[in-house]
Amino acid sequence: MSTISSRRFFIVVALLVTAVAGALLRSFSAPQSTPYYLGTLLMVMWVPVVGNVISFFAKKFRPSVPVPPTFSSSMPFVAQVVVELKLHSEQAPALPRREQDGKIHCLFITGTEGFSVRVSLLESHIAGEAVGAEAQFLLPAAALPKFPVGSSFHLMQGRLGFGTGQVLSLSTNS
């Protein structure tokens, strides 16, 4: 048990003992007397700890959150769609940020849904002009039906949007 959790355990036990002592004092005292009120006060000191105890047990029985899937460095790049991108560098000059694999990892947002992708630019990128690119979806079975040829989408990296795009064709590699 760590130092912090052992201190918390000690505090909870001390307050529980205080509450039990207050209940005993209250039960053996005459109503409307000073010991009676003192017993009530000792019992009330336990109330703030009850929420912490309930929270402790709720955390113990909460199901673990699965780790969201991501592109692994060993996963080869397989283009699934060819897109045309219009990047807006005036909004966020540091975007799009490239990852270690040289690809741009971002989200394609269509309507209220977002899909993780890796994008490989086909030619040199000039802000404000359309750029051709190939994209690989993290979950292609879910994403490809949402991106038919001609559909448009927004690009996001982190919490910032940095451009728009349109699907030109499905890749011959997929």
Side-chain angles (χ1 to χ4, degrees), residues 71-93:
F71 288 104
S72 70
S73 58
S74 64
M75 178 188 268
F77 180 80
V78 179
Q80 295 156 340
V81 291
V82 177
V83 296
E84 178 184 61
L85 305 176
K86 287 190 177 182
L87 305 176
H88 309 294
S89 67
E90 64 275 356
Q91 292 176 344

Side-chain angles (χ1 to χ4, degrees), residues 2 23 25 48-49 55-56 58 73 75 84 96 98 143 157:
S2 70
L25 183 63
V49 177
S55 172
F56 170 78
S73 58
M75 178 188 268
E84 178 184 61
R98 293 180 188 259
Q157 200 171 51

Side-chain angles (χ1 to χ4, degrees), residues 3-71:
T3 304
I4 293 175
S5 62
S6 64
R7 287 179 188 166
R8 286 181 181 168
F9 180 77
F10 175 73
I11 290 170
V12 168
V13 168
L15 289 172
L16 179 60
V17 168
T18 304
V20 170
L24 290 172
L25 183 63
R26 192 169 188 256
S27 65
F28 292 118
S29 301
Q32 309 297 322
S33 66
T34 302
Y36 182 84
Y37 290 132
L38 183 61
T40 303
L41 178 65
L42 292 175
M43 286 175 51
V44 170
M45 287 174 54
W46 168 253
V47 172
V49 177
V50 172
N52 290 326
V53 170
I54 292 171
S55 172
F56 170 78
F57 285 116
K59 287 179 185 176
K60 286 289 185 188
F61 297 115
R62 181 183 316 161
S64 63
V65 177
V67 176
T70 60
F71 288 104

Side-chain angles (χ1 to χ4, degrees), residues 138-160:
L138 181 61
L139 302 170
L144 286 172
K146 304 288 183 174
F147 292 95
V149 174
S151 63
S152 60
F153 53 88
H154 295 281
L155 294 161
M156 287 189 71
Q157 200 171 51
R159 294 181 180 233
L160 300 173

